[in-house]
Amino acid sequence: MFHDRTDAGERLAAELDRRGLDADIVLGIPRGALPVARPVADALDADLDVVVARKLGAPGNPELAIGAVASSGSVWYNDDLIDRLGVDEEYLESVRREEAENAKAKADRYRDRPGLPALEGKHVVVVDDGVATGATARACLRQVRDANAASVALAVPVGSPRSVDDLEREADDVIALEAPRNFQAVGQFYRDFGQVTDEEAIEYLEE
């Protein structure tokens, strides 16, 4: 159980330092990952920035993720779920285009320049406050891959065992402090899991 996101970030930072993980830049997934990512970036003596993705909601059930798209347009689809629900290509393209624009607008709120920082040849650590389905994390990792990073690791305090296993196919390394079998939701493992505002998240970037 983590007290709050800062506590989780400090514990995650200690584990990454113990492993001797090398990083040129740490990318937090806003908004909730920024309080986690700040201690990680500080411990690794790395720059902190953001990588943004939006989930693609199912028809009539926007909370059910059938995929996710990053601000660059990098996309991941849950093909099994899409087939099971019978989602057609027209809907997929429409929601992909809309959420890619939303992700780009969100990313632009966090930095004074468009697009990701230059990642080619760099060692990148992507941080989230936890992974449930892992949809947005997948899209973010693919965006970093597409930017020709030398390596990409995903670091999270907690995640569902299945998602953590699946994400190992998307990253060179996946570090999860906890992957409990009784996982139901990320917030279950935090005493304080209050919402992080855009203003608060940006403050972590400016420290």
Side-chain angles (χ1 to χ4, degrees):
M1 179 71 71
F2 304 103
H3 175 67
D4 57 15
R5 289 180 176 88
T6 298
D7 173 48
E10 289 170 351
R11 293 200 222 174
L12 192 58
E15 175 62 17
L16 299 183
D17 184 57
R18 186 188 69 79
R19 294 187 181 205
L21 192 71
D22 184 34
D24 299 304
I25 187 167
V26 172
L27 300 177
I29 302 176
R31 297 180 298 253
L34 271 301
V36 182
R38 181 77 264 174
V40 171
D42 291 345
L44 299 179
D45 194 25
D47 293 333
L48 177 62
D49 211 297
V50 296
V51 58
V52 180
R54 299 269 297 186
K55 69 180 176 183
L56 307 178
N61 187 0
E63 294 304 311
L64 178 61
I66 56 173
V69 62
S71 56
S72 65
S74 299
V75 67
W76 168 76
Y77 292 120
N78 185 333
D79 293 324
D80 289 342
L81 184 56
I82 288 169
D83 289 343
R84 191 157 70 246
L85 296 176
V87 181
D88 62 42
E89 289 292 335
E90 183 178 357
Y91 176 86
L92 280 177
E93 178 56 23
S94 173
V95 72
R96 184 204 64 78
R97 189 183 309 114
E98 178 183 358
E99 294 300 351
E101 285 299 318
N102 288 338
K104 183 177 182 301
K106 186 174 184 178
D108 289 346
R109 287 202 299 272
Y110 283 83
R111 57 170 73 99
D112 55 8
R113 63 192 183 284
L116 279 174
L119 299 181
E120 185 172 0
K122 293 189 176 181
H123 300 287
V124 181
V125 177
V126 175
V127 173
D128 206 352
D129 56 9
V131 290
T133 66
T136 54
R138 284 175 185 264
C140 288
L141 291 168
R142 292 187 180 189
Q143 182 174 9
V144 174
R145 286 280 193 209
D146 290 346
N148 297 316
S151 69
V152 54
L154 175 69
V156 297
V158 64
S160 78
R162 180 174 179 177
S163 292
V164 169
D165 286 346
D166 288 346
L167 286 163
E168 288 178 349
R169 293 193 286 271
E170 302 286 344
D172 297 298
D173 197 7
V174 175
I175 301 95
L177 298 183
E178 299 181 15
R181 294 178 63 182
N182 67 335
F183 183 96
Q184 294 179 334
V186 172
Q188 155 190 16
F189 299 94
Y190 288 82
R191 292 188 180 90
D192 178 0
F193 198 62
Q195 188 171 15
V196 178
T197 67
D198 282 328
E199 292 74 19
E200 289 169 339
I202 290 169
E203 286 179 6
Y204 287 102
L205 289 171
E206 294 174 344
E207 290 181 8

Coordinates of all heavy atoms in Angstrom, one line a residue, residues 102-171:
N102 N -7.2 15.0 -29.4 CA -7.4 15.3 -28.0 C -6.0 15.1 -27.3 O -5.6 15.9 -26.4 CB -8.4 14.4 -27.3 CG -9.8 14.9 -27.7 OD1 -10.1 16.0 -28.2 ND2 -10.8 13.9 -27.6
A103 N -5.3 14.0 -27.6 CA -4.0 13.7 -27.0 C -3.0 14.8 -27.4 O -2.2 15.2 -26.5 CB -3.5 12.3 -27.4
K104 N -3.0 15.2 -28.6 CA -2.1 16.3 -29.1 C -2.3 17.6 -28.3 O -1.4 18.2 -27.9 CB -2.2 16.5 -30.6 CG -1.2 17.5 -31.1 CD -1.3 17.6 -32.6 CE -0.3 18.6 -33.2 NZ -0.4 19.9 -32.6
A105 N -3.6 17.9 -28.2 CA -4.0 19.2 -27.5 C -3.5 19.1 -26.0 O -3.0 20.1 -25.4 CB -5.5 19.4 -27.6
K106 N -3.7 17.9 -25.4 CA -3.3 17.7 -24.0 C -1.8 17.8 -23.9 O -1.3 18.5 -23.0 CB -3.8 16.4 -23.5 CG -3.5 16.1 -22.0 CD -4.2 14.8 -21.6 CE -4.0 14.6 -20.1 NZ -4.7 13.4 -19.7
A107 N -1.0 17.2 -24.8 CA 0.4 17.3 -24.7 C 0.9 18.7 -24.9 O 1.8 19.2 -24.2 CB 1.0 16.4 -25.8
D108 N 0.2 19.5 -25.8 CA 0.6 20.9 -26.0 C 0.4 21.8 -24.8 O 1.1 22.8 -24.6 CB -0.1 21.5 -27.2 CG 0.3 20.9 -28.5 OD1 1.4 20.2 -28.5 OD2 -0.4 21.0 -29.5
R109 N -0.5 21.4 -23.9 CA -0.8 22.1 -22.7 C 0.4 22.0 -21.7 O 0.6 22.8 -20.8 CB -2.1 21.7 -22.0 CG -3.3 22.1 -22.6 CD -4.5 22.1 -21.7 NE -4.8 20.8 -21.1 CZ -5.6 19.9 -21.7 NH1 -6.1 20.1 -22.8 NH2 -5.8 18.7 -21.1
Y110 N 1.1 20.9 -21.8 CA 2.2 20.6 -20.9 C 3.6 21.1 -21.3 O 4.5 21.1 -20.5 CB 2.3 19.1 -20.6 CG 1.2 18.6 -19.7 CD1 -0.1 18.3 -20.2 CD2 1.4 18.5 -18.4 CE1 -1.1 17.9 -19.4 CE2 0.4 18.0 -17.5 CZ -0.9 17.8 -18.1 OH -1.9 17.3 -17.2
R111 N 3.7 21.5 -22.5 CA 5.1 22.0 -23.0 C 4.9 23.2 -23.9 O 3.9 23.4 -24.5 CB 5.8 20.8 -23.6 CG 5.1 20.2 -24.8 CD 6.1 19.2 -25.5 NE 6.3 18.0 -24.8 CZ 5.7 16.9 -25.0 NH1 4.7 16.8 -25.9 NH2 5.9 15.8 -24.3
D112 N 6.0 23.9 -24.0 CA 5.9 25.1 -24.8 C 6.4 24.9 -26.3 O 6.7 25.8 -27.0 CB 6.8 26.2 -24.2 CG 8.2 25.8 -24.0 OD1 8.6 24.7 -24.5 OD2 9.0 26.6 -23.3
R113 N 6.4 23.6 -26.7 CA 6.8 23.3 -28.0 C 6.0 22.1 -28.5 O 5.7 21.3 -27.6 CB 8.3 23.0 -28.1 CG 8.7 21.8 -27.3 CD 10.2 21.6 -27.2 NE 10.5 20.4 -26.4 CZ 10.3 20.2 -25.1 NH1 9.9 21.3 -24.4 NH2 10.6 19.1 -24.5
P114 N 5.7 22.0 -29.8 CA 4.9 20.8 -30.2 C 5.8 19.5 -30.2 O 7.0 19.6 -30.4 CB 4.5 21.2 -31.6 CG 5.5 22.2 -32.1 CD 6.0 22.9 -30.9
G115 N 5.1 18.4 -30.0 CA 5.7 17.1 -30.2 C 6.6 16.7 -29.0 O 6.9 17.5 -28.1
L116 N 7.1 15.5 -29.1 CA 8.0 14.9 -28.0 C 9.3 15.6 -28.1 O 9.7 16.1 -29.2 CB 8.2 13.4 -28.2 CG 7.1 12.5 -27.7 CD1 7.5 11.1 -28.2 CD2 7.0 12.5 -26.2
P117 N 10.1 15.6 -27.0 CA 11.5 16.0 -27.1 C 12.2 15.0 -28.0 O 11.7 13.9 -28.2 CB 12.0 16.0 -25.7 CG 11.0 15.1 -25.0 CD 9.7 15.2 -25.7
A118 N 13.4 15.4 -28.5 CA 14.2 14.4 -29.3 C 14.6 13.2 -28.5 O 15.2 13.3 -27.4 CB 15.4 15.1 -29.8
L119 N 14.2 12.0 -29.0 CA 14.4 10.8 -28.2 C 15.4 9.9 -29.0 O 15.8 8.8 -28.4 CB 13.1 10.1 -28.0 CG 12.0 10.8 -27.1 CD1 10.8 9.9 -27.0 CD2 12.6 11.2 -25.8
E120 N 15.7 10.2 -30.2 CA 16.6 9.3 -31.0 C 17.9 9.0 -30.2 O 18.6 9.9 -29.8 CB 16.9 9.9 -32.3 CG 17.6 8.9 -33.2 CD 17.8 9.4 -34.7 OE1 17.2 10.5 -35.0 OE2 18.4 8.7 -35.5
G121 N 18.2 7.7 -30.0 CA 19.4 7.3 -29.4 C 19.4 7.4 -27.9 O 20.5 7.2 -27.3
K122 N 18.3 7.8 -27.3 CA 18.3 8.0 -25.8 C 17.6 6.9 -25.1 O 16.8 6.1 -25.6 CB 17.5 9.3 -25.5 CG 18.3 10.6 -26.0 CD 17.6 11.8 -25.5 CE 18.4 13.1 -26.0 NZ 17.8 14.3 -25.5
H123 N 18.1 6.7 -23.8 CA 17.5 5.7 -23.0 C 16.3 6.4 -22.2 O 16.5 7.4 -21.5 CB 18.5 5.2 -22.0 CG 19.7 4.6 -22.7 ND1 19.6 3.3 -23.3 CD2 20.9 5.0 -22.9 CE1 20.7 3.0 -23.8 NE2 21.6 4.0 -23.6
V124 N 15.1 5.8 -22.4 CA 13.9 6.5 -21.9 C 13.2 5.6 -20.9 O 13.1 4.4 -21.1 CB 12.9 6.8 -23.1 CG1 11.6 7.4 -22.6 CG2 13.6 7.6 -24.2
V125 N 12.7 6.2 -19.8 CA 11.9 5.5 -18.9 C 10.5 6.2 -18.9 O 10.4 7.4 -18.6 CB 12.5 5.6 -17.5 CG1 11.5 4.9 -16.5 CG2 13.8 4.9 -17.4
V126 N 9.5 5.4 -19.2 CA 8.1 5.9 -19.2 C 7.5 5.5 -17.8 O 7.6 4.3 -17.4 CB 7.3 5.2 -20.3 CG1 5.8 5.6 -20.2 CG2 7.8 5.7 -21.7
V127 N 6.9 6.4 -17.1 CA 6.3 6.2 -15.8 C 4.8 6.5 -15.8 O 4.4 7.4 -16.3 CB 7.0 7.1 -14.8 CG1 6.4 7.0 -13.4 CG2 8.5 6.8 -14.7
D128 N 4.1 5.6 -15.1 CA 2.7 5.8 -14.9 C 2.4 5.5 -13.4 O 3.3 4.9 -12.7 CB 1.8 4.9 -15.8 CG 0.4 5.5 -16.0 OD1 0.1 6.5 -15.3 OD2 -0.3 5.0 -16.8
D129 N 1.3 5.9 -12.9 CA 1.0 5.7 -11.5 C 0.4 4.3 -11.2 O 0.2 3.8 -10.1 CB 0.0 6.7 -10.9 CG -1.3 6.9 -11.6 OD1 -1.5 6.0 -12.5 OD2 -2.0 7.8 -11.3
G130 N 0.2 3.5 -12.3 CA -0.2 2.1 -12.2 C -0.8 1.8 -13.6 O -1.2 2.6 -14.4
V131 N -0.9 0.5 -13.8 CA -1.6 0.0 -15.1 C -2.7 -1.0 -14.7 O -2.5 -1.9 -14.0 CB -0.5 -0.7 -16.0 CG1 0.4 0.4 -16.6 CG2 0.3 -1.8 -15.4
A132 N -3.8 -0.7 -15.3 CA -5.0 -1.6 -15.2 C -5.1 -2.4 -16.5 O -4.6 -3.5 -16.6 CB -6.2 -0.8 -14.9
T133 N -5.7 -1.8 -17.5 CA -5.7 -2.5 -18.8 C -4.4 -2.4 -19.5 O -4.0 -3.2 -20.4 CB -6.8 -2.0 -19.7 OG1 -6.5 -0.6 -20.0 CG2 -8.2 -2.0 -19.0
G134 N -3.6 -1.3 -19.3 CA -2.4 -1.0 -19.9 C -2.5 -0.4 -21.3 O -1.5 -0.2 -22.0
A135 N -3.7 0.0 -21.7 CA -4.0 0.5 -23.0 C -3.2 1.8 -23.3 O -2.5 1.9 -24.3 CB -5.5 0.8 -23.2
T136 N -3.3 2.8 -22.5 CA -2.6 4.0 -22.7 C -1.1 3.8 -22.6 O -0.3 4.4 -23.4 CB -3.0 5.1 -21.7 OG1 -2.9 4.7 -20.4 CG2 -4.5 5.5 -22.0
A137 N -0.6 3.0 -21.7 CA 0.8 2.7 -21.6 C 1.3 2.1 -22.9 O 2.4 2.5 -23.4 CB 1.1 1.8 -20.5
R138 N 0.6 1.2 -23.5 CA 1.0 0.6 -24.8 C 1.2 1.6 -25.9 O 2.2 1.6 -26.6 CB 0.0 -0.4 -25.3 CG 0.0 -1.8 -24.6 CD -1.2 -2.6 -25.1 NE -1.4 -3.8 -24.4 CZ -0.9 -5.0 -24.8 NH1 -0.2 -5.1 -25.9 NH2 -1.1 -6.1 -24.1
A139 N 0.2 2.5 -26.0 CA 0.3 3.6 -27.1 C 1.5 4.5 -26.8 O 2.2 4.9 -27.7 CB -1.0 4.4 -27.1
C140 N 1.7 4.8 -25.5 CA 2.8 5.7 -25.2 C 4.2 5.0 -25.5 O 5.1 5.6 -26.0 CB 2.8 6.1 -23.7 SG 1.5 7.2 -23.3
L141 N 4.3 3.7 -25.2 CA 5.5 3.0 -25.4 C 5.8 2.9 -26.9 O 6.9 3.1 -27.4 CB 5.5 1.6 -24.8 CG 5.5 1.5 -23.3 CD1 5.1 0.1 -22.8 CD2 6.9 1.9 -22.8
R142 N 4.7 2.7 -27.7 CA 4.9 2.7 -29.2 C 5.3 4.0 -29.7 O 6.1 4.1 -30.7 CB 3.6 2.2 -29.8 CG 3.3 0.7 -29.5 CD 2.2 0.1 -30.2 NE 2.0 -1.3 -29.8 CZ 1.2 -2.1 -30.4 NH1 0.5 -1.7 -31.5 NH2 1.1 -3.4 -30.0
Q143 N 4.8 5.1 -29.1 CA 5.3 6.4 -29.6 C 6.8 6.6 -29.3 O 7.5 7.2 -30.2 CB 4.5 7.5 -28.9 CG 4.8 8.9 -29.3 CD 3.9 10.0 -28.7 OE1 3.2 9.7 -27.8 NE2 4.0 11.2 -29.2
V144 N 7.2 6.2 -28.2 CA 8.7 6.3 -27.9 C 9.5 5.4 -28.8 O 10.5 5.8 -29.3 CB 8.9 5.9 -26.4 CG1 10.4 5.9 -26.1 CG2 8.2 6.9 -25.5
R145 N 9.0 4.2 -29.1 CA 9.7 3.3 -30.0 C 9.8 4.0 -31.4 O 10.8 4.0 -32.1 CB 8.9 2.0 -30.2 CG 9.0 1.1 -29.0 CD 10.3 0.3 -29.1 NE 10.4 -0.8 -28.2 CZ 11.5 -1.3 -27.7 NH1 12.6 -0.7 -27.9 NH2 11.5 -2.3 -26.8
D146 N 8.7 4.6 -31.8 CA 8.6 5.2 -33.2 C 9.6 6.4 -33.3 O 10.0 6.8 -34.4 CB 7.2 5.7 -33.5 CG 6.3 4.5 -33.7 OD1 6.7 3.4 -33.9 OD2 5.0 4.7 -33.8
A147 N 10.0 7.0 -32.1 CA 10.9 8.1 -32.1 C 12.3 7.6 -32.0 O 13.2 8.5 -31.8 CB 10.6 9.0 -30.9
N148 N 12.6 6.3 -32.2 CA 13.9 5.7 -32.3 C 14.7 5.9 -31.1 O 16.0 6.1 -31.1 CB 14.6 6.4 -33.5 CG 14.0 6.1 -34.9 OD1 13.6 4.9 -35.1 ND2 13.8 7.1 -35.7
A149 N 14.1 5.7 -29.9 CA 14.8 5.7 -28.7 C 15.8 4.5 -28.7 O 15.4 3.4 -29.2 CB 13.9 5.6 -27.5
A150 N 16.9 4.6 -28.0 CA 17.9 3.5 -27.9 C 17.3 2.3 -27.0 O 17.5 1.2 -27.3 CB 19.2 3.9 -27.3
S151 N 16.5 2.7 -26.0 CA 15.9 1.7 -25.2 C 14.7 2.4 -24.5 O 14.7 3.6 -24.3 CB 16.8 1.2 -24.1 OG 17.1 2.1 -23.1
V152 N 13.7 1.6 -24.1 CA 12.5 2.1 -23.4 C 12.1 1.2 -22.3 O 12.0 0.0 -22.6 CB 11.3 2.4 -24.4 CG1 11.0 1.2 -25.2 CG2 10.1 2.9 -23.6
A153 N 12.0 1.7 -21.1 CA 11.6 0.9 -20.0 C 10.3 1.5 -19.5 O 10.0 2.7 -19.6 CB 12.6 0.9 -18.9
L154 N 9.4 0.7 -18.9 CA 8.2 1.1 -18.3 C 8.3 0.9 -16.8 O 8.7 -0.2 -16.4 CB 7.0 0.4 -18.8 CG 5.6 0.7 -18.1 CD1 5.2 2.2 -18.4 CD2 4.5 -0.3 -18.5
A155 N 8.1 1.9 -16.0 CA 8.2 1.8 -14.5 C 6.9 2.2 -13.9 O 6.4 3.3 -14.1 CB 9.4 2.6 -14.0
V156 N 6.3 1.3 -13.1 CA 5.0 1.6 -12.4 C 5.1 1.1 -11.0 O 5.7 0.1 -10.7 CB 3.8 1.0 -13.1 CG1 3.7 1.6 -14.5 CG2 3.9 -0.5 -13.2
P157 N 4.4 1.7 -10.0 CA 4.3 1.2 -8.7 C 3.5 -0.1 -8.6 O 3.9 -1.0 -7.8 CB 3.6 2.3 -7.9 CG 3.8 3.6 -8.7 CD 3.8 3.1 -10.1
V158 N 2.4 -0.2 -9.4 CA 1.6 -1.3 -9.3 C 0.8 -1.6 -10.6 O 0.6 -0.6 -11.4 CB 0.5 -1.1 -8.2 CG1 -0.4 0.1 -8.5 CG2 -0.3 -2.4 -7.9
G159 N 0.5 -2.8 -10.9 CA -0.2 -3.1 -12.1 C -0.9 -4.5 -12.0 O -0.5 -5.3 -11.1
S160 N -1.8 -4.7 -12.9 CA -2.4 -6.1 -12.9 C -1.4 -7.0 -13.5 O -0.6 -6.7 -14.4 CB -3.7 -6.1 -13.8 OG -3.4 -6.1 -15.1
P161 N -1.3 -8.3 -12.9 CA -0.3 -9.2 -13.4 C -0.4 -9.4 -14.9 O 0.6 -9.5 -15.6 CB -0.6 -10.5 -12.7 CG -1.3 -10.0 -11.4 CD -2.1 -8.8 -11.8
R162 N -1.6 -9.5 -15.5 CA -1.8 -9.8 -16.9 C -1.2 -8.6 -17.7 O -0.5 -8.8 -18.7 CB -3.2 -10.1 -17.2 CG -3.4 -10.3 -18.7 CD -4.9 -10.7 -19.0 NE -5.1 -11.0 -20.4 CZ -6.2 -11.4 -21.0 NH1 -7.3 -11.6 -20.2 NH2 -6.3 -11.6 -22.3
S163 N -1.6 -7.4 -17.3 CA -1.1 -6.2 -18.1 C 0.4 -6.1 -18.0 O 1.0 -5.7 -19.0 CB -1.8 -5.0 -17.6 OG -3.2 -5.0 -17.8
V164 N 1.0 -6.3 -16.8 CA 2.4 -6.2 -16.7 C 3.1 -7.2 -17.6 O 4.1 -6.9 -18.3 CB 2.8 -6.5 -15.2 CG1 4.3 -6.6 -15.1 CG2 2.4 -5.3 -14.3
D165 N 2.6 -8.5 -17.7 CA 3.1 -9.5 -18.6 C 3.0 -9.0 -20.0 O 4.0 -9.2 -20.8 CB 2.4 -10.8 -18.4 CG 2.8 -11.5 -17.1 OD1 3.8 -11.1 -16.5 OD2 2.1 -12.4 -16.7
D166 N 1.8 -8.5 -20.4 CA 1.6 -8.1 -21.8 C 2.5 -7.0 -22.2 O 3.0 -6.9 -23.3 CB 0.1 -7.7 -22.0 CG -0.8 -8.9 -22.0 OD1 -0.4 -10.0 -22.0 OD2 -2.0 -8.7 -21.8
L167 N 2.7 -6.0 -21.3 CA 3.5 -4.9 -21.6 C 5.0 -5.2 -21.8 O 5.8 -4.4 -22.3 CB 3.4 -3.8 -20.5 CG 2.0 -3.1 -20.5 CD1 1.7 -2.4 -19.2 CD2 2.0 -2.1 -21.7
E168 N 5.4 -6.4 -21.3 CA 6.8 -6.8 -21.5 C 7.1 -7.0 -23.0 O 8.3 -7.0 -23.4 CB 7.1 -8.0 -20.7 CG 7.2 -7.8 -19.2 CD 7.4 -9.0 -18.4 OE1 7.4 -10.1 -19.0 OE2 7.7 -8.9 -17.2
R169 N 6.1 -7.1 -23.8 CA 6.3 -7.2 -25.3 C 6.5 -5.9 -25.9 O 6.8 -5.8 -27.1 CB 5.1 -8.0 -25.9 CG 5.1 -9.5 -25.5 CD 4.1 -10.2 -26.4 NE 2.7 -10.0 -26.1 CZ 2.0 -10.6 -25.1 NH1 2.6 -11.6 -24.4 NH2 0.8 -10.3 -24.9
E170 N 6.2 -4.8 -25.2 CA 6.2 -3.5 -25.7 C 7.5 -2.7 -25.3 O 7.8 -1.7 -25.9 CB 5.0 -2.7 -25.3 CG 3.7 -3.3 -25.7 CD 3.3 -3.1 -27.2 OE1 4.0 -2.3 -27.8 OE2 2.4 -3.9 -27.6
A171 N 8.1 -3.1 -24.2 CA 9.3 -2.4 -23.7 C 10.5 -3.3 -23.5 O 10.3 -4.6 -23.4 CB 8.9 -1.8 -22.3

